[in-house]
Every structure is written in C-alpha cells, then in structure tokens.
Amino acid sequence: MRLTEALQFFPGIGKKSAERIAFYILSNPQDGKKIAESVEEVLSKIKFCNICGNITVEDPCSICSSHERNRTTICVVEKPMDVFAIERAGIYDGLYHVLGGLISPLDNRGPDEIRIEPLILRAKKEDLNEIIIATNPTTEGEATALYLQESLKEFNIKISRIAQGIPVGTDLDFADDITLLRAMEGRREFKD
Amino acid sequence: MRLTEALQFFPGIGKKSAERIAFYILSNPQDGKKIAESVEEVLSKIKFCNICGNITVEDPCSICSSHERNRTTICVVEKPMDVFAIERAGIYDGLYHVLGGLISPLDNRGPDEIRIEPLILRAKKEDLNEIIIATNPTTEGEATALYLQESLKEFNIKISRIAQGIPVGTDLDFADDITLLRAMEGRREFKD
C-alpha cells in the first residue's frame, strides 16, 4: 500500500496532509523510523482487557484490578476513547464495560457482534448496584441502550442512562429541537 | 452615524461585509429604502408583552392570552429568541416568562435589572403548578437559576431546571468535562 494512502486512515488526515506528511518522512528518515517503531511498539504491547474490553498493557486492566474504585457500578460505553474522556474528566470512580461498537442494523451489526454477552455475564456474577448506560445519544447509541435495558432488567440492578440536554456553557437557541425536547423532558426539580 | 458603522451592529456582520452592504444600498437605492421601511415598520409595531415580556404585536401576547395553553406552567428564559427556539421545537405548551437578561456581576447587572420581580408577582397571583427555569447552562444562567430558585421557594410551586447533558446526535468523547459531569449526575433510571 502506498504511504499516502495508508496515512489517510488517520482521522482528520486528507490527501493533501497525507502528501505533506509523506514528504516530511522522506526528508527526515530518522523521524519516520521513530514513528514506525512507536506504532509497532504500541501494537505489540496493547491488548484488550478480558473483563471490561478496554485497551490495556496489563490484563486485567488497571481499572478492573483496582480496589480503590467503586466495584458495584459499571459504566457501559461504546469505545475505549469514551473511557478515556470520562477518566480525564475525573467524574466517575466505578468500573467500565467497553462494548466495542453499537448495534446498527444499517451496518449489519447486531447484538452478537458487540460485547453484550460478557456484560450479562458480569451482571450475573459480580455484585452490582447500578449499570450506567453511557452510549452516545445517537440512533445507534439509543438502540443499543434500549437493547441493554431489556437484556439486563431481569437482574436486581438499577439500570440508568446518562442525561441528554443542553451542553454546559452553550446557548439555548443553538440547541436542535430534539436536544431541547430531551432537556425539557429531563428537567429536574430543585432540592434544598 | 456612518452607515458602515451602523451595519456592524448586526450579528455576524464585520467591517468588510458592512462595506459590501453599504455599496449595495448605494447602487440599489430602492432596495435600501425597502429595508429601512421594513425596519421602521417592525419597530413601530413591536412592543413587549406586559405579562411575559416577550416581543409581540398585540399586548398581551398570543401565548399569554391563549386558553389552549397549559396555564399552570411557566418556562423562564433569558430572551425572546429562546421562546422562539422552544416554540419552533413544538415541545412545550405552557406559558413563558422572558427575563430580558441574566444576572451578571461582571457586567454590573443585578437581579433588579432583569424581570425577576414581575415573575415573583406572577407566582403570587397566578395558579401555578410548576416553574421551569430554562436559562442557559452558562455561569450567568446558572447564577440566575439559583437566584430564582431562592426567590420562588416560598411559594408552593414545583421549581425545576432543564437538563444539562450530551446533546442528541453527538459523540460522548466530544463533550467537555463539565458536560460529562452533568450528564453523569443527571442520569435517569430506566422505567418500564
């Protein structure tokens, strides 16, 4: 495969940028070699945690094996990047479960193609109070959330969904209609 | 005032665009006259509703005088444009109250400068079940929401706040940390 084509796999890199990077690599072979080695090193070390499905160096991952986290709550996300975003925000101290995709009939991806069965096994085995479904508020994310809720309701575990609404710091009149609807539906009473 | 300076009052119009519009008006005086007349006509007709504070042609406005709306709920917003956004979405059938601004110590704008007192009078006089505070989730919007909650809690009316969270259709990993926090805090249990 030609380098310029391969580089366009990167998100945000188009044909022009790929060409610019390719010429940079050709003019700076030492840098190019370092990049290739880093990519190979990462690929050789990184694996998936057999419990939560997140990317990790050690299996099980540091979150699944930690005893400082709240082990009675699982936050279900689509992909490793979502774990990264929530961890970076420092707003959650429970465990995770990475589905590795969302149910999407249009892409021919059903429940069996993502890690739903392992989640049901965890719900059976682990001593859980709550499963927070944090898939994206997109069509696929919502479909997956509903499917999960159906699959998990037989267990005596609280199943919750992250809030949809107006993002913090933005203006109401920039919100689309469905976001306004969700913000209105999801309104919460002030409590003293 | 010079036309190019006046035109820059419009949102989204900078110096370049203002100059382009000014030249257009000079070359098409008939169009220029129509625009000036439309602006003057609107300004002569439009007033503020003495009940909700929204812009209107008739006073009271069509929403305040309608008997097809739910007259026991008031949605409190910052500006007329917010009423427009919520009405366009067709998600709400109650009444409104337009504050005409937000509390902002930095801009030297206190509670007395916006229409909070008229809202308290409405809470006293009208037969209300709920007041939904739909100010923006910004610093000023939150400060105003808290102030309103304090001012209204003596009445026997449910005071609620619109939901903050991930906007519909977007990706979790694009959300900023505080929005993620609000989405997590505001999570709701699935109900059958």
Side-chain angles (χ1 to χ4, degrees):
Chain A
M1 170 163 270
R2 289 183 51 189
L3 178 57
T4 51
E5 284 166 17
L7 285 168
Q8 288 177 62
F9 290 147
F10 289 152
I13 302 292
K15 204 174 160 213
K16 280 264 168 200
S17 308
E19 285 168 4
R20 218 172 298 133
I21 296 172
F23 276 108
Y24 177 86
I25 290 171
L26 289 174
S27 341
N28 301 274
Q30 288 306 317
D31 286 2
K33 230 182 141 206
K34 275 183 216 155
I35 294 168
E37 282 167 5
S38 307
V39 171
E40 274 165 12
E41 194 190 337
V42 158
L43 290 180
S44 70
K45 279 189 185 166
I46 288 292
K47 46 196 161 225
F48 292 97
C49 173
N50 81 79
I51 301 174
C52 71
N54 196 10
I55 48 176
T56 180
V57 178
E58 303 287 332
D59 184 13
C61 74
S62 60
I63 294 177
C64 286
S65 54
S66 164
H67 285 279
E68 277 158 34
R69 316 250 340 173
N70 170 3
R71 303 188 66 86
T72 63
T73 306
I74 289 181
C75 177
V76 182
V77 296
E78 176 194 350
K79 54 191 183 305
M81 182 111 180
D82 298 331
V83 175
F84 182 76
I86 296 172
E87 284 298 293
R88 188 192 51 202
I91 54 168
Y92 174 73
D93 73 343
L95 306 177
Y96 290 95
H97 189 86
V98 179
L99 294 172
L102 297 173
I103 295 173
S104 170
L106 284 179
D107 299 326
N108 236 332
R109 196 164 50 239
D112 297 340
E113 262 113 314
I114 61 176
R115 299 183 66 255
I116 290 182
E117 203 49 45
L119 178 64
I120 295 173
L121 284 176
R122 289 181 74 181
K124 258 183 212 155
K125 276 194 335 197
E126 297 178 28
D127 189 20
L128 299 174
N129 286 332
E130 182 174 1
I131 295 179
I132 303 169
I133 304 176
T135 52
N136 294 332
T138 54
T139 317
E140 285 92 358
E142 288 294 302
T144 309
L146 282 175
Y147 186 90
L148 286 174
Q149 189 233 341
E150 279 298 313
S151 315
L152 295 167
K153 70 179 177 188
E154 60 176 297
F155 305 104
N156 187 23
I157 302 171
K158 178 176 163 190
I159 312 292
S160 60
R161 180 89 176 96
I162 51 160
Q164 296 167 33
I166 316 285
V168 176
T170 62
D171 205 313
L172 211 70
D173 61 32
F174 289 150
D176 62 285
D177 293 1
I178 306 181
T179 298
L180 276 174
L181 171 65
R182 294 276 189 275
M184 199 60 94
E185 283 176 344
R187 68 182 183 271
R188 291 201 298 168
E189 197 169 346
F190 271 104
K191 271 164 207 140
D192 281 324
Chain B
M1 170 162 267
R2 288 182 51 188
L3 178 59
T4 49
E5 284 166 15
L7 285 168
Q8 289 178 59
F9 288 148
F10 290 153
I13 303 291
K15 206 175 159 209
K16 278 268 170 201
S17 310
E19 285 169 2
R20 218 173 296 134
I21 296 172
F23 276 109
Y24 177 85
I25 290 171
L26 289 175
S27 341
N28 303 273
Q30 288 304 319
D31 286 4
K33 230 183 140 206
K34 275 183 215 156
I35 293 168
E37 281 168 4
S38 308
V39 171
E40 273 165 12
E41 193 191 337
V42 157
L43 290 180
S44 70
K45 279 191 186 163
I46 288 292
K47 44 196 163 229
F48 291 97
C49 173
N50 81 80
I51 301 174
C52 72
N54 196 10
I55 49 174
T56 179
V57 178
E58 303 286 334
D59 183 15
C61 73
S62 60
I63 294 176
C64 285
S65 53
S66 163
H67 284 278
E68 277 159 33
R69 315 257 330 179
N70 170 4
R71 303 189 64 83
T72 63
T73 306
I74 289 180
C75 177
V76 182
V77 297
E78 176 194 350
K79 53 191 186 303
M81 183 112 180
D82 297 331
V83 175
F84 182 77
I86 296 172
E87 284 297 294
R88 188 192 50 202
I91 55 168
Y92 174 72
D93 73 342
L95 307 176
Y96 290 95
H97 190 86
V98 179
L99 293 171
L102 297 172
I103 296 173
S104 170
L106 284 178
D107 298 324
N108 234 332
R109 197 165 50 240
D112 298 340
E113 262 114 313
I114 62 176
R115 300 182 66 256
I116 290 182
E117 202 51 43
L119 178 63
I120 295 174
L121 285 176
R122 290 182 74 181
K124 258 182 212 156
K125 276 194 335 195
E126 297 177 26
D127 189 20
L128 299 174
N129 286 334
E130 182 174 3
I131 295 178
I132 303 169
I133 304 177
T135 53
N136 294 332
T138 54
T139 317
E140 286 93 357
E142 287 295 299
T144 308
L146 282 174
Y147 186 90
L148 285 173
Q149 190 234 340
E150 278 297 313
S151 315
L152 295 167
K153 70 178 176 189
E154 59 175 301
F155 307 104
N156 187 21
I157 302 170
K158 179 176 163 189
I159 312 292
S160 61
R161 181 89 176 99
I162 51 162
Q164 296 166 33
I166 316 287
V168 176
T170 62
D171 205 313
L172 211 71
D173 62 34
F174 289 151
D176 61 285
D177 293 1
I178 307 181
T179 298
L180 276 174
L181 171 66
R182 294 278 189 275
M184 200 59 95
E185 283 176 345
R187 67 183 183 268
R188 292 199 297 167
E189 196 169 345
F190 270 104
K191 272 163 206 140
D192 282 324

